[in-house]
Amino acid sequence: MRIVALAGGIGGARFLRGLREAIGPEDEITVIGNTGDDIHLFGLKVCPDLDTVMYTLGGGIHEEQGWGRTEETWSIKAEMKEYGVGPEWFGLGDRDFATHLVRSQMLTAGYTLSQVTEALCVRWRPGVRLLPMSDDRVETHVRITDEQGTRAIHFQEYWVKLHAAVDAEAIVPVGADTAKPAPGVLEALAEADVILFPPSNPVVSIGTILAVPGIREAVAAAPAPVVGLSPIIGGAPVRGMADKVLAAVGVEATAEAVALNYGSALVDGWLVDTVDEAAVAAVEAGGIACRAVPLLMTDVAATAEMARAALALAEQVRR
């Protein structure tokens, strides 16, 4: 079985770890990772979502945080502060810094982001094929209005520095409209037996991947069933502040609203948590098969059960 998953950072990575446990040794997983969160800091190319997937599946993630390296130290950050060089609000640990140095060196040498990601994965052996959504530069920006007036800021500044405390007025994946899918992305979607939308942020993770011309169309045209798992449980995001960016695109923070926003032209099946069982009928009225199952990723075993439920629903709705 060839499984393709579109994934952001923490939620996507943790789901993929469960998915890897749920499948057989002959099955293959290709992950199309969001690069809209990418940012240039300290002269380095930082790819938060790709790295979170790589570290999580490779056994190097800081489990409590869900991002960054385990057993991290912060000497470089402290030295940068002494030099008065920021930003201080974005933490790069010493071990994490090494990843960004290697990536940036390879990019400067002329390698593509796809090639760099493949090379980094040789060390981490994540057990999946990890593809960036595009080799072209795409950065998600957020329009806000604060004491400085109306302005657009990088998504990382909105999420990490401001903690989404200011209302998001618009979400703009800058560069997405002219970007091309990375090599292998469209082919993986066309050849997939199952396509999954993990419980990643539907706007700035999966939504940004789908904003790259050709990817949404390839998902919609794929013969494989497409099944998503709700990142919203009981009217609130499981982790993070997805409700803030959902509001910016006019979508309620409910399991039902997120499913219907994707639409039946894109998604064939949808899983909601058992607390949202009342949403099943409305989702199915929108032409999407829906089931209520436990969706809290409390541990790998529970996440594997979620993945099995998604694969089972995919079989039920197979086109």
Side-chain angles (χ1 to χ4, degrees):
M1 182 166 54
R2 292 164 297 189
I3 304 168
V4 176
L6 279 59
I10 299 173
R14 289 181 171 173
F15 174 78
L16 290 166
R17 187 162 55 183
L19 175 63
R20 194 178 56 182
E21 291 295 314
I23 64 173
E26 70 285 356
D27 298 325
E28 301 174 355
I29 302 172
T30 296
V31 179
I32 301 172
N34 171 46
T35 60
D37 285 13
D38 292 6
I39 189 170
H40 285 77
L41 295 170
F42 311 110
L44 303 177
K45 169 82 165 180
V46 181
C47 300
D49 285 2
L50 293 179
D51 290 345
T52 296
V53 170
M54 187 172 67
Y55 293 157
T56 300
L57 299 183
I61 199 73
H62 189 298
E63 289 290 347
E64 290 73 26
Q65 291 178 166
W67 55 271
R69 290 288 307 281
T70 186
E71 299 179 357
E72 187 61 278
T73 54
W74 303 90
S75 299
I76 297 176
K77 183 179 180 181
E79 285 298 308
M80 298 298 281
K81 183 178 181 180
E82 290 298 320
Y83 280 113
V85 176
E88 293 183 23
W89 52 265
F90 198 98
L92 293 180
D94 302 334
R95 294 185 172 201
D96 199 23
F97 231 102
T99 298
H100 311 313
L101 280 168
V102 172
R103 176 185 292 115
S104 301
Q105 285 180 333
M106 291 187 69
L107 290 171
T108 300
Y111 292 95
T112 66
L113 183 58
S114 295
Q115 293 169 325
V116 174
T117 302
E118 183 179 5
L120 294 173
C121 285
V122 170
R123 173 189 178 183
W124 290 102
R125 303 187 183 280
V128 304
R129 182 187 182 202
L130 179 59
L131 303 176
M133 67 188 195
S134 177
D135 285 338
D136 299 318
R137 183 171 178 173
V138 179
E139 293 184 0
T140 301
H141 286 218
V142 182
R143 191 182 74 210
I144 64 169
T145 299
D146 59 8
E147 65 278 0
Q148 298 182 45
T150 299
R151 58 196 178 104
I153 60 175
H154 194 286
F155 174 72
Q156 294 294 348
E157 183 175 355
Y158 179 73
W159 208 251
V160 180
K161 181 181 181 180
L162 301 182
H163 303 290
V166 181
D167 288 342
E169 299 172 352
I171 309 296
V172 183
V174 178
D177 57 337
T178 57
K180 296 179 181 178
V185 167
L186 299 184
E187 293 82 357
L189 291 168
E191 297 169 2
D193 296 306
V194 178
I195 298 173
L196 298 177
F197 289 2
S200 294
N201 191 303
V203 179
V204 296
S205 293
I206 294 178
T208 301
I209 297 172
L210 294 172
V212 176
I215 295 183
R216 176 182 289 271
E217 294 80 2
V219 172
V226 180
V227 173
L229 297 92
S230 176
I232 304 295
I233 295 179
V238 178
R239 185 185 179 98
M241 299 155 278
D243 51 332
K244 295 286 189 176
V245 291
L246 281 167
V249 296
V251 177
E252 287 185 275
T254 66
E256 170 191 340
V258 173
L260 297 178
N261 185 60
Y262 281 130
S264 60
L266 195 67
V267 175
D268 302 298
W270 187 250
L271 293 181
V272 301
D273 190 79
T274 50
V275 302
D276 294 310
E277 190 168 5
V280 170
V283 174
E284 295 205 321
I288 301 171
C290 187
R291 306 287 184 271
V293 300
L295 289 187
L296 285 176
M297 295 187 285
T298 52
D299 53 33
V300 176
T303 309
E305 283 301 309
M306 289 169 50
R308 292 187 186 99
L311 295 174
L313 181 55
E315 286 303 311
Q316 294 172 26
V317 301
R318 187 169 296 281
R319 299 167 183 169

